[in-house]
């Protein structure tokens, strides 16, 4: 088992815990990026405000515990994200999106707490057409396991299947545990991890608290237990069908795809977001090596 500690990333005054990628581990199944933001409180008129930026070769997965935000993209999507919803944006050959404060909350003190994950697309889909899907909280299956409440956010787990269409075998689960409960992890996937959102969980003789990700060996039988209320997310899936290069907001099996995306963004060849065309995120320096 590997234990990953979060690194803190400042996104312009807004600090997030980043678990993936790290030098010690680049991915878990097809999940190549994992950010945990909040809980944080914003004064009126403030909030999570991410200007238009591009993606290729991945699907972004947004999930909120608290707060709300507005997703907009170059397909014309304009979607409010509320707690418990799943936003799944399939970037494919290229898409641009932004995440803006909810205008309905602009005059109020607001909170933000949630996760942003990236799923690398299989090589036969990484240049496919972009698409967007939103699934409201009450559309996701919820399972009561006597003191453990499980929501299957994407993929298949615990005998339930999320309505989210996924590009490869995977699972993504939000689990709330009351004190003294056990939670076995699905064992049908080769790569699996558990991340502690709140409280602490035990595995073997050790306890793990908020900000820790436990990554388990293939075939390892895993049961987490609690001595207090806790919340964890579980994720994993089949290994990727080859290595991935990650630079900025781009994921690709070939460096040439990333270089083309850089050139296209700099030259303004990505489609714009209707109604949110300005304030574009600047292109960072090119990676030093491929």
């Amino acid at each position: 088992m590997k234990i990953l500690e979060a690194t803190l990333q400042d996104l312009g005054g807004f600090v997030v815990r980043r678990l993936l990628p790290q030098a010690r581990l680049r991915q878990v199944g097809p999940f190549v990026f994992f950010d945990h933001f909040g809980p944080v409180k914003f004064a009126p008129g403030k909030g999570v405000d991410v200007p238009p930026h591009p993606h290729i070769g991945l699907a972004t997965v947004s999930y909120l515990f608290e707060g709300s935000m507005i997703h907009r993209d170059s397909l014309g999507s304009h979607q409010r994200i509320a707690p418990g919803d799943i936003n799944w944006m399939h970037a494919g050959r290229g898409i641009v999106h932004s995440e803006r404060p909810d205008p309905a909350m602009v005059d109020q003190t607001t909170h933000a707490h949630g996760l942003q994950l990236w799923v690398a697309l299989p090589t036969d889909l990484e240049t496919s057409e972009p698409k967007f899907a939103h699934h409201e909280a009450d559309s996701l299956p919820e399972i009561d396991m006597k003191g453990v409440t499980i929501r299957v956010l994407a993929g298949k787990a615990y005998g339930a299947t999320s309505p989210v269409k996924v590009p490869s075998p995977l699972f993504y689960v939000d689990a709330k545990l009351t004190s003294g409960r056990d939670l076995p992890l699905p064992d049908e996937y080769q790569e699996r991890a558990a991340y502690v959102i709140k409280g602490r969980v035990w595995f073997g003789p050790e306890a793990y608290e908020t900000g820790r990700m436990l990554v388990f060996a293939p075939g390892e039988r895993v049961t987490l237990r609690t001595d207090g209320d806790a919340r964890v997310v579980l994720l994993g899936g089949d290994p990727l069908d080859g290595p991935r290069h990650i630079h900025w907001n781009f994921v690709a099996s070939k460096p040439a795809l990333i270089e083309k995306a850089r050139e296209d963004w700099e030259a303004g060849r990505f489609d714009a977001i209707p109604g949110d065309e300005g304030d574009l995120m600047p292109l960072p320096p090119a990676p030093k090596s491929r």
Side-chain angles (χ1 to χ4, degrees):
M1 182 181 74
K2 292 182 178 179
I3 303 168
L4 301 184
E5 301 277 357
T7 61
L8 299 182
Q9 303 288 324
D10 188 340
L11 304 183
F14 181 54
V15 177
V16 303
R17 297 181 179 95
R18 182 157 298 166
L19 279 299
L20 292 173
Q22 292 192 18
R24 294 185 61 216
L25 188 69
R26 305 301 296 175
Q27 68 269 327
V28 177
F31 293 92
V32 296
F33 183 90
F34 187 114
D35 265 5
H36 176 198
F37 57 89
V40 62
K41 182 169 70 173
F42 291 107
K46 303 294 184 180
V48 177
D49 194 358
V50 183
H53 59 282
H55 287 289
I56 66 164
L58 57 88
T60 64
V61 192
S62 302
Y63 184 64
L64 297 179
F65 303 115
E66 292 181 88
S68 62
M69 63 179 66
I70 302 298
H71 164 95
R72 302 178 79 168
D73 63 45
S74 50
L75 299 176
S77 310
H78 188 162
Q79 178 64 57
R80 179 178 183 268
I81 312 173
D85 297 348
I86 280 285
N87 248 36
W88 187 283
M89 188 184 74
H90 177 108
R93 62 175 176 78
I95 197 168
V96 178
H97 79 133
S98 63
E99 291 156 323
R100 301 294 197 179
D102 185 346
M105 308 293 288
V106 69
D107 296 327
Q108 303 177 35
T109 297
T110 58
H111 297 79
H113 187 201
L115 301 172
Q116 172 93 170
L117 279 62
W118 295 354
V119 171
L121 300 177
T123 53
D124 62 343
L125 292 177
E126 62 181 350
T127 57
S128 59
E129 290 299 308
K131 51 190 175 182
F132 171 78
H134 177 79
H135 298 269
E136 294 187 354
D138 60 7
S139 72
L140 303 174
E142 189 167 289
I143 306 161
D144 185 359
M145 296 173 57
K146 296 182 179 179
V148 180
T149 302
I150 288 173
R151 303 186 74 233
V152 182
L153 308 181
K156 299 180 180 180
Y158 301 100
T161 302
S162 167
V164 178
K165 292 184 178 180
V166 297
S168 61
L170 60 84
F171 74 104
Y172 181 28
V173 167
D174 178 11
K176 296 179 182 178
L177 298 84
T178 57
S179 182
R181 300 298 177 176
D182 291 347
L183 175 62
L185 262 65
D187 58 11
E188 62 265 36
Y189 298 95
Q190 292 187 51
E191 299 184 2
R192 299 161 300 156
Y195 176 72
V196 185
I197 297 291
K198 184 179 180 181
R200 67 178 181 178
V201 298
W202 290 77
F203 177 61
E206 300 293 332
Y208 303 93
E209 299 186 349
T210 302
R212 299 281 187 87
M213 178 177 281
L214 287 60
V215 183
F216 305 101
E220 186 174 12
R221 300 302 295 268
V222 177
T223 296
L224 306 177
R225 68 183 194 279
T226 62
D227 57 3
D229 292 350
R231 188 171 195 172
V232 297
V233 292
L234 315 174
L235 68 151
D238 288 353
L240 290 170
D241 57 354
R244 291 297 188 276
H245 303 271
I246 302 177
H247 169 63
W248 193 38
N249 301 310
F250 306 137
V251 174
S253 61
K254 300 179 180 66
L257 293 173
I258 289 178
E259 187 57 37
K260 181 179 184 304
R262 285 181 52 84
E263 293 171 357
D264 288 347
W265 184 245
E266 192 165 38
R269 288 192 286 265
F270 275 85
D271 292 339
I273 301 173
D276 196 358
E277 294 91 349
D279 188 28
L280 303 181
M281 193 175 288
L283 184 73
K288 293 181 180 180
S289 64
R290 300 297 191 193

